[in-house]
């Protein structure tokens, strides 16, 4: 029997580092593990995992050319492919390790206001996000202690402050970890979170999915899916700049005053051209310890309010905040609040892309094209 093949349909844009999925009806392609023959040469690891619509075989395509379909041959795995991800539940969080070495951790323990990812290690093992307040690193800034590396938060959810850590703030509680997994391609988790106000009263439920995808050269992608359910009554995400559904505080050497660079998909450079502006993605880059690194946040086309506006500052904060229209456009009478009716829900999808170099060298435009395309392959032979 010949090896089955998978066809990835053409797209009008060049795509890089694209997660491709194929629905596997009977699961036989997952028995024993496989790799896929890359049309450009070599092989890439494949991994199966279950999703709501069935069992999926997934892989990362390093490059998908514009205007051309590509064929990928499924081959038996002869040896454990490089890039294995381990996910381990520990006290207060989930640790992710790449070939035995830690590179990020999802913190969920008691005593913190809300979950966050730290450290975020990029090419050369460089810390791409700030250590404060989790740990002290010489020369770092120490403002805004609620800026914890990479996190999800918003400052006005039914009037509850779930952004700051000032007296009277709310919390995001981790009710359960529904799924934690690792494998030759990716690691991830699904968590049930509950947003509560300062008195502990529930405001909204959130199901959060994280998926980490290591790439060549120490780069990697974090896929983030947030589904909010208004199970306790209507939920309003208020019009405030103090928030954003995905946020990062970059390492201090990446601050613009230290030589860092902000750039967005519309050609805006620096806070003056990027703050409050709509864009498909926004990138922060610079040099940390002699290593050129960057971190881009990508806004999926399916998101409410796409393309997001960005609360991004020269001092190192970057957050996708589609709600703060009265701040972005003062005096125009705009209201950026968004209300979910009782029983309603809304979903946002983001990616964080940790890369070498600036946005151009890191090929953020092409990686965004892959993220936005939701590439689905078709089984064409066996």
């Amino acid at each position: 029997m010949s090896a089955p093949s998978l066809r990835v349909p053409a797209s009008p844009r060049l795509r890089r580092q694209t997660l491709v999925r194929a629905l596997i009806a009977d699961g036989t392609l997952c028995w024993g593990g496989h790799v896929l023959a890359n049309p450009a040469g070599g092989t890439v690891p494949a991994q199966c995992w279950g999703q709501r619509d069935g069992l999926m075989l997934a892989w990362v395509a390093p490059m998908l050319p514009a205007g051309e379909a590509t064929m990928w041959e499924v081959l038996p795995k002869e040896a454990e492919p490089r890039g294995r991800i381990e996910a381990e539940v520990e006290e207060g969080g989930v640790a992710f390790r790449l070939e035995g070495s830690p590179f990020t951790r999802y913190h969920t323990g008691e005593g913190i206001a809300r979950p966050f990812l730290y450290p975020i290690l990029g090419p050369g093992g460089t810390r791409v996000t700030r250590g404060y307040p989790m740990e002290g690193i010489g020369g770092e800034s120490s403002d805004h202690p609620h800026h914890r590396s990479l996190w999800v938060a918003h400052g006005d959810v039914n009037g509850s402050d779930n952004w700051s850590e000032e007296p009277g703030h709310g919390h995001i509680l981790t009710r359960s970890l529904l799924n934690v997994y690792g494998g030759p391609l990716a690691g991830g988790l699904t968590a049930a979170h509950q947003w509560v106000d300062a008195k502990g009263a529930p405001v909204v439920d959130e199901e959060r999915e994280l998926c980490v995808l290591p790439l060549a050269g120490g780069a990697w992608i974090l896929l983030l899916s947030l589904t909010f359910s208004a199970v306790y009554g209507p939920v309003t995400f208020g019009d405030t700049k103090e928030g954003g559904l995905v946020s990062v505080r970059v390492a201090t050497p990446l601050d613009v005053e230290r030589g860092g660079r902000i750039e967005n998909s519309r050609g805006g450079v620096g806070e003056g051209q990027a703050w409050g502006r709509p864009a498909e993605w926004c990138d922060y880059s610079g040099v940390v310890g002699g290593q050129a690194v960057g971190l881009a946040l990508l806004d999926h086309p399916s998101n409410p309010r796409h393309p997001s506006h960005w609360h991004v500052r020269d001092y190192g904060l970057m957050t996708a905040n589609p709600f703060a229209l009265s701040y972005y456009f003062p005096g125009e009478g705009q209201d950026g609040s968004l209300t979910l009716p009782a029983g309603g829900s809304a979903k946002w999808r983001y990616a964080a892309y940790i890369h070498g170099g600036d946005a151009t060298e890191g090929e953020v435009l092409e990686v965004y094209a892959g993220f936005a395309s939701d590439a689905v392959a078709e089984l064409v032979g066996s």
Side-chain angles (χ1 to χ4, degrees):
M1 180 181 295
S2 61
S5 295
L6 295 161
R7 178 180 182 273
V8 181
S11 170
R13 294 186 177 183
L14 170 66
R15 294 171 287 176
R16 295 192 186 277
Q17 308 301 348
T18 304
L19 178 65
V20 185
R21 299 177 176 91
L23 182 63
I24 306 301
D26 60 7
T28 56
L29 286 183
C30 295
W31 293 347
H34 291 80
V35 295
L36 274 71
N38 186 347
T43 60
V44 297
Q47 181 174 331
C48 278
W49 64 72
Q51 297 186 333
R52 287 184 174 85
D53 48 358
L55 189 64
M56 310 294 290
L57 181 69
W59 71 97
V60 171
M63 191 275 287
L64 295 171
E68 298 179 23
T70 55
M71 299 296 294
W72 300 73
E73 186 179 4
V74 182
L75 304 173
K77 180 175 60 178
E78 296 180 358
E80 191 68 25
R82 295 188 62 191
R84 179 172 175 81
I85 292 291
E86 297 174 347
E88 182 179 355
V89 178
E90 301 176 337
E91 183 177 356
V94 178
F96 292 97
R97 297 181 178 88
L98 172 59
E99 296 178 353
S101 298
F103 74 105
T104 194
R105 188 176 191 272
Y106 190 58
H107 297 259
T108 62
E110 295 183 6
I112 62 173
R114 51 198 66 94
F116 60 92
L117 279 158
Y118 179 79
I120 303 289
L121 300 182
T126 302
R127 292 178 182 264
V128 182
T129 58
R130 190 177 68 169
Y132 177 81
M134 288 74 66
E135 62 176 313
I137 297 176
E140 279 197 330
S141 60
S142 58
D143 58 275
H144 298 83
H146 54 287
H147 291 178
R148 293 180 180 263
S149 186
L150 191 154
W151 74 105
V152 174
H154 193 62
D156 181 355
V157 185
N158 281 7
S160 173
D161 171 15
N162 227 315
W163 171 256
S164 80
E165 296 185 23
E166 298 295 322
H169 69 80
H171 288 77
I172 301 176
L173 306 178
T174 302
R175 293 306 189 192
S176 63
L177 293 174
L178 305 175
N179 183 32
V180 177
Y181 63 90
L185 174 72
L189 61 85
T190 302
H193 294 309
Q194 184 183 63
W195 295 44
V196 302
D197 65 18
K199 297 181 179 179
V203 177
V204 65
D205 281 355
E206 177 215 341
E207 184 175 284
R208 186 176 305 180
E209 297 177 62
L210 306 178
C211 177
V212 293
L213 294 162
L215 308 172
W220 59 285
I221 294 174
L222 166 71
L223 301 178
L224 178 65
S225 173
L226 315 171
T227 302
F228 293 93
S229 299
V231 297
Y232 310 106
V235 176
T236 297
F237 294 89
D239 184 332
T240 176
K241 67 179 179 63
E242 304 301 320
L245 292 183
V246 60
S247 303
V248 295
R249 182 64 187 262
V250 298
T252 298
L254 299 181
D255 294 358
V256 171
E257 66 177 14
R258 307 285 185 100
R261 176 182 173 88
I262 298 168
E263 182 177 348
N264 70 20
S265 62
R266 306 293 178 93
V269 176
E271 179 181 321
Q273 296 180 10
W275 188 85
R277 308 294 178 86
E280 288 74 16
W281 53 262
C282 196
D283 183 82
Y284 229 118
S285 64
V287 177
V288 182
Q291 178 77 48
V293 294
L295 192 156
L297 294 179
L298 318 180
D299 184 59
H300 196 271
S302 66
N303 286 347
R305 304 278 178 85
H306 176 82
S308 182
H309 292 72
W310 297 84
H311 178 35
V312 55
R313 298 298 200 190
D314 285 347
Y315 64 73
L317 173 68
M318 178 169 61
T319 178
N321 183 340
F323 307 116
L325 298 186
S326 70
Y327 291 85
Y328 302 146
F329 307 103
E332 297 185 9
Q334 296 200 45
D335 180 4
S337 61
L338 184 149
T339 298
L340 306 182
S345 65
K347 181 176 181 177
W348 279 268
R349 295 168 59 190
Y350 299 101
Y353 170 43
I354 296 88
H355 59 84
D358 61 15
T360 300
E361 295 164 337
E363 301 177 318
V364 175
L365 177 64
E366 293 82 7
V367 171
Y368 179 79
F371 171 63
S373 70
D374 287 330
V376 177
E378 306 160 346
L379 185 66
V380 295
S382 60

